[in-house]
Amino acid sequence: MKNYYSDKTILITGASSGIGLEFANQLNEFGANLILTARSKAKLNELAENYQSAIVIPGDLSDNTFPSQLYNEIQSKGIEVDILINNAGFGSIGKLLRSDSVIYESMVQVNITSLTQLSHLFITDMAEKGKGGIINVASVAAFQPVPYMNVYSATKAYVRSFSLALHEEYKDRGIVITAVCPGYTKTNFQNAAKMSPNAVGIKMLPDDVVRQSLIAHKKGKNLVINGLINKIMAHSNRFLPSAITLAVTRNLMKKA
Ligand SMILES: NC(=O)c1ccc[n+]([C@@H]2O[C@H](COP(=O)([O-])OP(=O)(O)OC[C@H]3O[C@@H](n4cnc5c(N)ncnc54)[C@H](OP(=O)(O)O)[C@@H]3O)[C@@H](O)[C@H]2O)c1
């Protein structure tokens, strides 16, 4: 795996915490050149100082002008991105009517629109070169509408669907697009989503999620569901009536 990622230039969104931070740590170990982005500038600068080769371009992906700013800044430095990791994202728990619409608007911008804008911008260069890769972080929530995380689960269904379609379009041009689908993972996600500490589910470690994802991407896979239980959950939806899976999910999520 080391040889595959070493010396590649890899842009990671949401690199300041959780799964994105773990992508940065593991890819640094493999000798990749990193471009780190997120809002937390100080945290990213601190990380970059300790990596072998990393630059920081901070910004807010809920601002729809930031994806093109980020792309232009990378271009102006003469850097070519080999792999884009669209990892930044967030969720929020609660009934739709109890939630501020600003949160949902920015969730759709970060989880869907910015991810799509960045994919479009960078795949243009990758298609010209005839090589490259994109890792899009979706979720097991992409397989099942999740009551009380209504908009979030819909954004992740988009990410999975978009990534699979894109992979089919570009796989013959040397570009691999991998949708990563973790379940509950031990990060700041639950805290940011205002979920209860009693939220159900076995939490995986970002370390395992990222290792599995990098292996799957290297193998040219279009999809990875992290962890056996998550795989079973994702696939069981195909065999059970949606009335049952929705009721079960609703009951589980009420506790969260
Ligand atoms: N943890 C889980 O249980 C779980 C399960 C399935 C899928 N996922 C997905 O995994 C991805 C990573 O989440 P995580 O679990 O690692 O959570 P996390 O620890 O909260 O990290 C989220 C990252 O996204 C960045 N981010 C959030 N809003 C942003 C914005 N407006 N602009 C730019 N960057 C932004 C954050 O950086 P700043 O705050 O510094 O901007 C942070 O680096 C997300 O797409 C999430 O949906 C997580």
Side-chain angles (χ1 to χ4, degrees):
M1 190 145 75
K2 184 173 176 161
N3 286 346
Y4 183 79
Y5 291 104
S6 64
D7 293 328
K8 285 205 165 55
T9 298
I10 303 180
L11 167 60
I12 307 170
T13 73
S16 62
S17 164
I19 295 171
L21 170 59
E22 188 58 34
F23 268 117
N25 286 339
Q26 291 193 21
L27 289 166
N28 174 59
E29 289 292 313
F30 294 151
N33 306 306
L34 303 177
I35 306 168
L36 310 175
T37 187
R39 292 166 301 182
S40 311
K41 186 177 172 185
K43 178 79 195 286
L44 293 179
N45 283 332
E46 199 184 312
L47 291 169
E49 271 176 26
N50 294 308
Y51 290 155
Q52 297 170 47
S53 167
I55 63 162
V56 170
I57 306 178
D60 186 345
L61 287 167
S62 70
D63 171 353
N64 71 1
T65 63
F66 182 60
S68 54
Q69 271 175 42
L70 177 60
Y71 176 78
N72 291 337
E73 194 163 336
I74 292 169
Q75 291 281 94
S76 72
K77 292 180 191 297
I79 299 172
E80 291 188 3
V81 169
D82 299 305
I83 299 177
L84 161 66
I85 303 182
N86 274 313
N87 161 77
F90 71 99
S92 134
I93 193 92
K95 281 185 174 176
L96 189 68
L97 291 183
R98 290 215 188 134
S99 307
D100 188 337
S101 65
V102 172
I103 292 175
Y104 288 133
E105 282 160 21
S106 94
M107 195 185 299
V108 169
Q109 178 65 45
V110 175
N111 296 7
I112 294 184
T113 314
S114 288
L115 174 143
T116 309
Q117 288 171 304
L118 287 172
S119 301
H120 185 220
L121 288 163
F122 285 99
I123 216 167
T124 310
D125 300 335
M126 292 175 189
E128 252 175 42
K129 286 189 284 183
K131 61 178 182 179
I134 301 180
I135 296 176
N136 285 334
V137 180
S139 165
V140 277
F143 293 87
Q144 163 70 47
V146 181
Y148 309 110
M149 287 197 100
N150 36 54
V151 176
Y152 177 74
S153 58
T155 66
K156 293 301 180 178
Y158 173 94
V159 175
R160 172 176 162 244
S161 171
F162 172 67
S163 306
L164 293 178
L166 214 55
H167 181 81
E168 269 327 283
E169 288 175 25
Y170 287 97
K171 67 179 183 191
D172 296 336
R173 297 183 66 178
I175 304 169
V176 172
I177 292 109
T178 308
V180 170
C181 298
Y184 274 123
T185 307
K186 216 169 176 187
T187 68
N188 193 46
F189 177 87
Q190 288 78 15
N191 200 19
K194 307 224 170 353
M195 292 169 84
S196 145
N198 305 326
V200 283
I202 298 164
K203 285 201 187 111
M204 279 184 75
L205 296 174
D207 182 14
D208 297 323
V209 169
V210 167
R211 195 168 342 94
Q212 290 168 9
S213 304
L214 291 176
I215 290 171
H217 184 71
K218 180 183 171 240
K219 287 183 178 168
K221 303 240 186 238
N222 59 358
L223 181 79
V224 54
I225 304 170
N226 305 97
L228 181 64
I229 292 173
N230 294 323
K231 280 194 184 82
I232 294 169
M233 265 168 48
H235 292 304
S236 65
N237 291 330
R238 286 191 284 154
F239 305 108
L240 293 168
S242 62
I244 293 179
T245 56
L246 280 167
V248 170
T249 313
R250 180 182 169 210
N251 284 333
L252 288 172
M253 291 309 294
K254 252 187 171 174
K255 295 180 199 158

